[in-house]
Amino acid sequence: MKNQHHKNMTSLQLLIAATALVSTASFAATLPVYNSVELQNALKSASPGDEIVVHAGSYTGNRSTSGEGRAHFFSDKSGTVNSPIVLRSASASSKQVLRGDNVDTGYVLLLEGDYWEVKDLKFTGAQKGIMLEGANHNLIDNVEVYNVGQEAVHFRDSSSYNKLTNCYIHDTGKREGKEGTGEGVYVGTNNGHQESPPDNSDYNTIGGCTIGPWVTAEAFDVKAGTTGTVIEYNHVDARGIVGTSASPQADSFVDLKGTDALVRNNVMDYMGDNNITHAIYSYREHTSSNIYDNEFNLPFSAGTFRAQEPTMHISNNQRLDGGTTLVWKEYQIRNIDYSLDQSIEQPNNGPYSCFDELNGSCGGSPSSSSSSSSSSQASSSSDSSSSSSSSSSNSTSSSANSCDQVAMDERTEVELGAASCVSFPENLQGRTLQVWDSDANSQCDFRGNIQDQSGSGQLDVTGNYASSNSFSGNTLFITPNNGCQFLKVRVY
């Protein structure tokens, strides 16, 4: 009798446990959203296993209603290792754009939770793009971050074991006077080059990302107190880095102040921007890193490494430009070791697929096929401050990934918006470019820089009219330094 009672109790316990599992699973939900209010509410209430699906709509966040005054979109909810929370566009081929209201304030998305998957989205129009604080085991995949005031993606306040993969980052440092803080990916916290207190944002991976052009500071900045950052299979286009003209200065692809970092299988190209004076810079707090199987294209006279502190363990890195200068100063050769530190190695996760709207995979150009979907997003997200000069222009509205198409020999109103370039049907060699302040959008006057695709021709716009005949190719990259997105152009 006693044994039978025990058997019955065990069955009852199993039934209760099974019921609890079913009950828990039932809480997971698919949450379709169609506007910024619905998205904010979904982020505030998300539970493990929920999938927040962002459909075509208007997504300019409001910091006063997000639940965190620094962020346009915010969540402190967490998933679990087996039931992550997913935030994604309804269709990867029609990525929705989450926006801030200007490049001077706030973050587009702030996560303070664990076990999220954020994918197939675009982030733009705030001081910073994606911020993780005290957030762990998150995956951010196949996203684009652009037109932000300072850095694009930032892991800090002990955010560890996160992965940023297949991203596309460009046009950072748009906040006037903050160009030196326009990093692509920032790991840790700036503590004045002090090791203590450390920011233990450890073992984060950045892989398969395309970074640049017009990222005004380092592509990767790894701060003191961090451990085990992995930078692998990325492609860097360094056009637009500010060099020593900004504070802080930025003149390398990678700044390493954390320790036990791995930098491997990357392609980093200065693209004719002579503000790059070395590929990788270790400073003060750095203790050890493995740097191997990378390709660097640098100014011929530049040093590959600026090795202020030990030890850079290097192997099989190639200079595509033929330069032979290894270190910035000869005494730094003592901080170089030609054998890798196997004790800090981590599994290799590459190669990666890279951002899916780029032709030629990592480092490729935006595909023309992405323009129609992104263009519809831009128009549906027009609840930001500007109306549209493009409605009265002869240009074809374009995506963040493509250039506005502009006719020859006509004055054309251009709204940069997400795009940062204009393309003409003919080569500009021997022709004159004219630039004026916009007539259709008088709320600001464009001031900034215009450069052709080869980097050989450029024009600084410092007044209400400027012109130049130094350009070649058929594409011009336009970088405002005052946040103004409107101008009028003509080529004849």
Side-chain angles (χ1 to χ4, degrees):
M1 186 72 173
K2 181 176 181 181
N3 288 340
Q4 183 65 38
H5 176 72
H6 175 74
K7 181 179 180 181
N8 290 341
M9 288 297 292
T10 302
S11 298
L12 178 60
Q13 289 170 341
L14 289 171
L15 178 61
I16 291 171
T19 303
L21 286 172
V22 172
S23 176
T24 301
S26 68
F27 284 112
T30 299
L31 306 173
V33 299
Y34 297 89
N35 58 53
S36 57
V37 173
E38 292 178 357
L39 176 54
Q40 285 185 341
N41 290 336
L43 292 168
K44 292 174 187 176
S45 60
S47 299
D50 283 355
E51 189 168 17
I52 303 170
V53 181
V54 185
H55 290 264
S58 177
Y59 297 99
T60 299
N62 185 335
R63 291 186 295 122
S64 67
T65 58
S66 69
E68 220 291 354
R70 295 173 298 161
H72 295 85
F73 297 98
F74 165 75
S75 186
D76 58 0
K77 305 302 181 184
S78 290
T80 67
V81 64
N82 294 318
S83 298
I85 301 169
V86 177
L87 171 64
R88 66 173 178 85
S89 290
S91 170
S93 62
S94 181
K95 297 178 183 66
Q96 298 306 300
V97 183
L98 308 190
R99 299 176 181 273
D101 51 17
N102 67 79
V103 298
D104 291 321
T105 56
Y107 319 141
V108 182
L109 175 66
L110 170 61
L111 282 182
E112 293 181 353
D114 303 336
Y115 295 107
W116 281 76
E117 293 182 5
V118 178
K119 56 188 180 181
D120 304 330
L121 288 161
K122 303 186 179 189
F123 301 84
T124 188
Q127 179 182 336
K128 303 181 182 185
I130 300 172
M131 175 71 75
L132 271 63
E133 292 186 347
N136 305 281
H137 301 286
N138 298 292
L139 170 66
I140 303 170
D141 181 65
N142 203 41
V143 301
E144 181 178 3
V145 186
Y146 61 94
N147 195 33
V148 292
Q150 292 181 240
E151 68 269 22
V153 180
H154 193 159
F155 304 125
R156 72 179 182 192
D157 294 350
S158 298
S159 293
S160 299
Y161 299 99
N162 300 292
K163 292 184 178 180
L164 173 65
T165 56
N166 305 311
C167 69
Y168 178 32
I169 291 171
H170 58 99
D171 292 275
T172 66
K174 298 292 188 180
R175 191 179 180 197
E176 188 171 2
K178 296 293 183 180
E179 295 83 1
T181 58
E183 294 89 351
V185 184
Y186 194 113
V187 181
T189 300
N190 180 16
N191 193 31
H193 300 298
Q194 301 302 311
E195 294 181 8
S196 181
D199 180 343
N200 299 120
S201 291
D202 299 335
Y203 299 103
N204 295 295
T205 296
I206 306 102
C209 287
T210 297
I211 299 183
W214 317 119
V215 168
T216 57
E218 298 85 5
F220 309 97
D221 196 347
V222 182
K223 290 301 185 185
T226 64
T227 301
T229 301
V230 178
I231 300 170
E232 60 182 9
Y233 295 95
N234 303 285
H235 192 288
V236 176
D237 176 344
R239 282 176 295 171
I241 197 167
V242 291
T244 59
S245 62
S247 180
Q249 67 185 47
D251 50 12
S252 62
F253 302 124
V254 186
D255 264 14
L256 287 180
K257 301 179 182 70
T259 195
D260 295 356
L262 306 178
V263 183
R264 59 194 180 191
N265 300 105
N266 302 282
V267 177
M268 303 185 184
D269 192 340
Y270 84 118
M271 292 294 291
D273 192 328
N274 288 309
N275 285 326
I276 290 287
T277 59
H278 40 275
I280 298 179
Y281 182 8
S282 72
Y283 193 73
R284 239 179 245 177
E285 309 82 1
H286 174 269
T287 302
S288 181
S289 58
N290 284 347
I291 303 168
Y292 58 97
D293 296 339
N294 300 286
E295 294 183 351
F296 301 124
N297 189 30
L298 294 160
F300 182 80
S301 60
T304 307
F305 303 109
R306 185 168 179 172
Q308 297 285 84
E309 294 296 334
T311 298
M312 288 188 182
H313 302 274
I314 68 171
S315 176
N316 196 37
N317 298 293
Q318 297 184 38
R319 286 281 295 262
L320 302 181
D321 56 279
T324 58
T325 303
L326 181 66
V327 291
W328 184 64
K329 298 288 186 182
E330 281 305 311
Y331 73 86
Q332 294 178 3
I333 197 71
R334 67 190 181 192
N335 295 328
I336 298 293
D337 182 7
Y338 292 94
S339 60
L340 300 182
D341 181 352
Q342 296 300 327
S343 71
I344 67 173
E345 275 296 300
Q346 299 179 50
N348 189 315
N349 299 290
Y352 294 80
S353 58
C354 304
F355 188 67
D356 62 8
E357 293 182 13
L358 296 175
N359 287 322
S361 194
C362 282
S365 58
S367 63
S368 58
S369 62
S370 69
S371 63
S372 58
S373 61
S374 296
S375 176
S376 64
Q377 295 162 22
S379 60
S380 67
S381 301
S382 60
D383 55 349
S384 54
S385 59
S386 61
S387 53
S388 178
S389 62
S390 60
S391 62
S392 61
S393 106
N394 293 314
S395 65
T396 301
S397 183
S398 173
S399 72
N401 290 331
S402 59
C403 300
D404 280 353
Q405 305 299 310
V406 178
M408 306 294 287
D409 300 311
E410 296 182 14
R411 294 192 183 194
T412 303
E413 291 281 350
V414 174
E415 177 185 355
L416 296 178
S420 60
C421 52
V422 294
S423 182
F424 297 86
E426 300 176 22
N427 194 295
L428 303 183
Q429 188 75 44
R431 293 179 175 267
T432 298
L433 169 74
Q434 296 176 303
V435 180
W436 299 266
D437 293 338
S438 170
D439 293 330
N441 296 273
S442 58
Q443 64 264 42
C444 64
D445 295 330
F446 176 88
R447 300 293 181 266
N449 176 264
I450 301 175
Q451 190 170 47
D452 64 29
Q453 61 203 94
S454 70
S456 60
Q458 64 175 345
L459 172 65
D460 290 322
V461 181
T462 59
N464 61 6
Y465 172 79
S467 68
S468 173
N469 59 3
S470 67
F471 297 108
S472 61
N474 68 342
T475 300
L476 298 178
F477 294 93
I478 303 175
T479 306
N481 61 24
N482 63 350
C484 186
Q485 303 293 308
F486 309 104
L487 69 161
K488 184 167 56 178
V489 301
R490 176 194 180 205
V491 167
Y492 69 95

